[in-house]
Amino acid sequence: MSKTTKLSPDQQKFAINQLQTYFLQERDEELSELSSMLLVDFISQKLGPIFYNKGVEDSQRFMSERVEDLYALLLKEQIED
């Protein structure tokens, strides 16, 4: 996996808007578009991989549990036959 989570232009605009809204509502600070872009880039580079890997880990765990469920059903079926 690359070290940077690449956002589409729409996703980047959304993230910038969300940061600006958060800073205004929660911190009573106006965040410029440039500051917001830099913060989005920082979060993407430093935190994006952590969230990505956590999502992959959770998906892997979920799928592993479903496969185990299927295997248990198969064994149960074999025992009943």
Side-chain angles (χ1 to χ4, degrees):
M1 184 191 112
S2 80
K3 298 230 181 227
T4 302
T5 302
K6 186 71 175 159
L7 301 176
S8 72
D10 286 340
Q11 290 170 324
Q12 189 170 11
K13 285 178 190 175
F14 178 78
I16 288 168
N17 182 269
Q18 291 295 303
L19 282 172
Q20 288 174 324
T21 300
Y22 173 81
F23 270 75
L24 190 58
Q25 291 177 348
E26 300 296 325
R27 300 175 52 104
D28 201 25
E29 295 178 44
E30 285 194 34
L31 201 59
S32 71
E33 189 158 338
L34 177 59
S35 294
S36 299
M37 283 191 303
L38 293 172
L39 191 51
V40 166
D41 287 344
F42 171 80
I43 291 168
S44 294
Q45 290 173 9
K46 302 295 182 184
L47 303 179
I50 295 169
F51 290 111
Y52 176 86
N53 289 336
K54 178 65 174 144
V56 169
E57 179 184 306
D58 290 349
S59 297
Q60 184 180 23
R61 183 179 308 110
F62 176 82
M63 292 305 297
S64 179
E65 290 169 0
R66 299 299 75 80
V67 168
E68 288 177 21
D69 291 347
L70 289 172
Y71 184 68
L73 286 172
L74 178 64
L75 285 178
K76 180 181 176 186
E77 217 174 84
Q78 288 175 351
I79 291 172
E80 291 175 354
D81 286 343

